Amino acid sequence: MERVASKAEARRAAADARTEGKTVALVPTMGALHEGHLSLVRAACNRADYVAVSVFVNPTQFGPGEDYDSYPRDLEADLRLLAAEGVDLVFAPSAGVMYEPGASVTVDPGALAECWEGEIRPGHFAGVTTVVTKLLSIVRPDLAYFGEKDYQQLQVVRRLVRDLDLGATVVACPIVRDRDGLALSSRNVRLTADERASALAIPAALEAAAVALASREREARALERAMFERLAGEEHLSLDYAVVVDPDTLEPLDTVDGPARALVAARVGDIHLIDNCALVPHPGHSDRRSTNE
Ligand code: PAF
């Protein structure tokens, strides 16, 4: 496994692989790797001939007062995990290398970034789209891997790649959960035992929405109520949003007639956690009101 810190070395290594006719995959990460990241790496290794992983805690996607300084970092442990997975290249630049002094051009993340996370974390998605554009320009992968845990980010990145013709195929990988149901996140290590117990209300709320849908409730507001009820009064937890949206546009739905996504974000202690699940009505699923009539 080659480890590089400069953009020129990363560009050269990926270009050499392309010249050899290899399919190149990129897995962008902010390090502090867990099984969720490793599932992306494994999916990339199964499909591509050459797998590059970037490890970069991107300062421009953290707002003032957010956890940039306390975000977990352990490059040596990350390198051991990536070597064991058979990764070819790790690109781990410093912030000063990634962003030249005086860098001022950013990538507008567009309309999909205005709602939900975009509203509570102003500037976050511009930081994401800027760094993802830079990473894709440096590595020029055929395939770029993103997790569904950051569902809005996935949609924003898909739109970015499409609208700016960045030439990679975005591959989405399912959420990986701990045994207790909590979605894996690098931030979980910062939860106290009590906070972690409260955080379990988040996957439980998503489950409540899925159960309500399975019992023929299709009104989005009712599904959201099922989530609020599970989250309400949970100690250490302050809810940001729990919504049922169109999976592509992220706009709130009135009725779940086709594929939908439930999104939840909450602060647990001072840690921002997000989670989501697909809501798929059963074929022939009829409205609870009509079955009651
Ligand atoms: O999902 C993340 O870890 C980050 O937002 C990403 C995509 C690596 C960009 O910094």
Side-chain angles (χ1 to χ4, degrees), residues 28-30 37 56 58 61 124 128 131-132 146 150 153:
T29 81
M30 297 208 298
H37 298 110
F56 178 61
N58 173 33
Q61 68 188 75
H124 167 68
V128 171
V131 81
V132 169
F146 293 86
D150 297 289
Q153 167 175 283

Side-chain angles (χ1 to χ4, degrees), residues 136 140-144 160-170:
L136 293 180
R140 295 186 44 217
D142 303 289
L143 305 163
L160 165 78
V161 168
R162 187 198 76 177
D163 290 357
L164 296 189
D165 301 307
L166 296 180
T169 298
V170 173

Side-chain angles (χ1 to χ4, degrees), residues 27-31 37 40 54-62 71 99 121 124-125 127-132 135 145-147 149-150 153-154 157 186:
V27 184
T29 81
M30 297 208 298
H37 298 110
L40 303 180
S54 58
V55 176
F56 178 61
V57 185
N58 173 33
T60 65
Q61 68 188 75
F62 290 80
Y71 195 85
Y99 294 100
R121 303 185 66 190
H124 167 68
F125 284 119
V128 171
T129 47
T130 300
V131 81
V132 169
L135 290 167
Y145 284 76
F146 293 86
K149 212 268 287 165
D150 297 289
Q153 167 175 283
L154 171 66
V157 166
S186 302

Side-chain angles (χ1 to χ4, degrees), residues 185-224:
S185 160
S186 302
R187 290 187 167 99
N188 290 354
V189 296
R190 296 184 47 230
L191 293 167
T192 65
D194 285 352
E195 287 169 348
R196 190 182 166 100
S198 295
L200 294 180
I202 298 173
L206 293 167
E207 179 64 19
V211 166
L213 182 71
S215 61
R216 299 176 180 272
E217 179 56 80
R218 292 194 313 161
E219 294 301 320
R221 298 297 84 72
L223 300 176
E224 290 169 0

